[in-house]
Amino acid sequence: MTINQSGWRPEAPNGDAAAGDAATFTGNRALMLEEALIFEIGDPGRTGVDIPAAPKVASRLGGLERSAPIGLPGLSEPETVRHYTRLSRQNYAIDLGLFPLGSCTMKHNPRLNEKMARLPGFADIHPLQPTDTVQGAFELIHLVGEWLCTLTGMPAVAMSPKAGAHGELCGLLAIRSALEARGDARRVVLVPESAHGTNPATAAFCGYAVENIPATAEGRVDLEALKARLGPDVAAVMITNPNTCGLFEPDMIAISEAVHAAGGLVYCDGANFNAIVGRVRPGDLGIDAMHINLHKTFSTPHGGGGPGAGPVVFSEALAPFAPLPFVEKDGDHYVLVEEETAGEHHAGSFGRMVAFHGQMGMFTRAAAYMLSHGADGLRQVAEDAVLNANYVLRSLEKTIDAPFAFSGPCMHEAIFSDAGFATGFSTIDVAKGLIDEGFHPMTMYFPLVVHGAMLIEPTETESKAALDQFIGALRSVVERAKAGDAALKAAPVHAPRRRLDETAAARKPVLTWRPAEPALAAE
C-alpha cells in the first residue's frame, strides 16, 4: 500500500492504480469508491457516541484481564454508515443479477417473506418466553412441519437443526440410535461419488468409517457396485438425489430396497429438493431420513441474518429416534415436547440438537413462501427450475463440454467441464472472465467426478432474457479460453480488485492487521 495526502490508496499487482487505467488523487474511479480497512480509517480515541467513562471496579477475571486497550477503531456515525455502504457496493448479490452457483441454490427472496419475518410477534420472540405466550409461533412451526411432511411423504419432522450439515448430523444420529436400540453395531457409511461433499465429513464426524461408491459413465450411482459392498457392517448409505451431477437417480427405489434388505438405513441429502418439490415424494423412494435446506427450496436467505434452518424428515422406522424438543398439537393448544414429556413415541430419541427449538425468522419466511405459492405453485417452481437448467445445458453443450448431456435431461443444474480449452487455460480463467462480464462465477471444480467442473444452477426465478445474457457472456469467455486469449489470464481487470494469488492466500493468510511502519507511511 501507499499513503498519500488523502490517506490510503491500494495498488494493483502490476503497480498501476487500483484496477484503473489512470490514477486519481483519491483512488476512486467515479462512482466506484475505494475503501480502506476500518482499522486504517478509524481512530481508537474517536467515538460517534458520547458516553461517560466506565467506573473502575475490581476485576473478577483472576488475572486474565487485558493489560492494554483492545485497539478497536472508532468512527463517527456518518463514517460508519459510509464505510459499510461503500463495501456493500463491491458485493455481488441476487438483487444485482443471476447467481449461477450450482449445488447451492441462490433463489430470489420475495420481500413479502422479509416483511412477515419482521412482524413484532415473530421478530421479537424470545426462547425463554412461557409457552402460553408463543402459541402463534408454535402454530407456525407446526404448520411448516406439516407442509414438509406432506411434500416429502414422511410421517415425522425435526425442526431444530440449524443448517444442512447440521441436519445431516441429526439424521445420522437418529440412524445410529436406531441401530444401537437393536444391538447392531455397524460402523461403515457408504457415500456415492455424486453426493454432496458434506456427506462424508458428517459421517466421519459421527464416528463412522466412510467408503465411496463409484459413479457410472452416465453420472449416477453404480447400483451393482453398491449392492456388492453392502453387508452386516454397513449402517447407512448417504445419497444425494437429485445428485451433484444435476441428475435424478432412477434406481433410487432399488437402492433403498437393497440397503434395507442388508439391514441398513437410507439417508438422503435434500439440498436439491428444489428440483423435485411437488413432483416426487422422497418417502415413496424408501428414504429413512432427509434434511431440507429451507434457504434452497423455500427461498429464505442463506443464513437468514443468523442461524439457518435444516429440518429433517423421518420415516416410521426412525421417527421414535428423532431429536427433542418438537412442537405437538394438543387439541387447540400447542406444546413443546421435552425429554421429560416425550412419552413412548419418542422414547428412543437421541436428545437435543440445540439449546432451543430453531430459528423463528427462517420458519416465518418459509411459511410465507409456502402459503403464497400453494401446492400448485411449489410444483411449478420445480418445473421451471428444471426447464431453466435444461435451457442452459442445451444452449451451451456445443460450446462447452457437457459430460452428461447424453444422459438425458438434467434436473435443476447443468454441469460442464474444461475439456477443449487451450493449453494453460482452465476453469479458474473462465470464472475470472465472468467477473469482468458482471456475473458471479458458477461453482468450480465440483463435483470431483468431472475434471474442471463448472456447475450452473439458474433457479426458477430467472427470465429467459436473463438466461440469454448469462449464456452469451459465458459462451464469449469460454471461446476466449479455447482460443488461448492471453488477456483472459489477467481477468478480472474491471473489478474493484485484480486477480489474487489464491494459493498464497490459502496457505499464507494474513489474519491480523498492523499499521504500516513510519518509514513506509512516509513514502
Side-chain angles (χ1 to χ4, degrees), residues 1-5 516-523:
M1 72 177 72
T2 60
I3 301 291
N4 62 20
Q5 290 178 325
E517 298 295 335
L520 178 61
E523 292 180 4

Side-chain angles (χ1 to χ4, degrees), residues 291-343:
H291 81 263
I292 302 169
N293 302 70
L294 293 188
H295 59 275
K296 294 186 178 185
T297 303
F298 301 105
S299 91
T300 66
H302 279 63
V312 180
V313 288
F314 295 98
S315 65
E316 288 186 7
L318 281 186
F321 305 94
L324 299 170
F326 65 93
V327 174
E328 187 174 69
K329 188 174 183 180
D330 183 11
D332 294 331
H333 194 71
Y334 292 88
V335 295
L336 191 64
V337 179
E338 308 275 0
E339 285 88 342
E340 61 273 11
T341 57

Side-chain angles (χ1 to χ4, degrees), residues 323-389:
L324 299 170
F326 65 93
V327 174
E328 187 174 69
K329 188 174 183 180
D330 183 11
D332 294 331
H333 194 71
Y334 292 88
V335 295
L336 191 64
V337 179
E338 308 275 0
E339 285 88 342
E340 61 273 11
T341 57
E344 291 294 325
H345 60 305
H346 267 67
S349 173
F350 64 81
R352 286 176 174 265
M353 288 293 294
V354 293
F356 299 104
H357 188 61
Q359 217 277 38
M360 198 65 221
M362 301 296 275
F363 298 152
T364 307
R365 294 178 178 96
Y369 187 81
M370 292 172 174
L371 294 175
S372 61
H373 278 75
D376 57 336
L378 293 176
R379 180 187 179 98
Q380 185 179 345
V381 163
E383 293 171 347
D384 289 350
V386 172
L387 175 64
N388 280 357

Side-chain angles (χ1 to χ4, degrees), residues 1-79:
M1 72 177 72
T2 60
I3 301 291
N4 62 20
Q5 290 178 325
S6 66
W8 177 81
R9 180 171 62 83
E11 290 183 345
N14 59 9
D16 296 334
D21 297 324
T24 60
F25 177 80
T26 59
N28 299 333
R29 292 182 297 132
L31 293 180
M32 180 58 72
L33 303 178
E34 188 49 62
E35 188 64 11
L37 298 177
I38 194 170
F39 287 97
E40 295 169 304
I41 61 177
D43 182 350
R46 190 190 318 164
T47 178
V49 180
D50 292 329
I51 54 177
K56 291 187 178 298
V57 296
S59 173
R60 293 180 294 173
L61 299 178
L64 298 178
E65 60 272 8
R66 291 193 303 268
S67 58
I70 195 170
L72 293 177
L75 299 172
S76 68
E77 181 176 326
E79 288 172 328

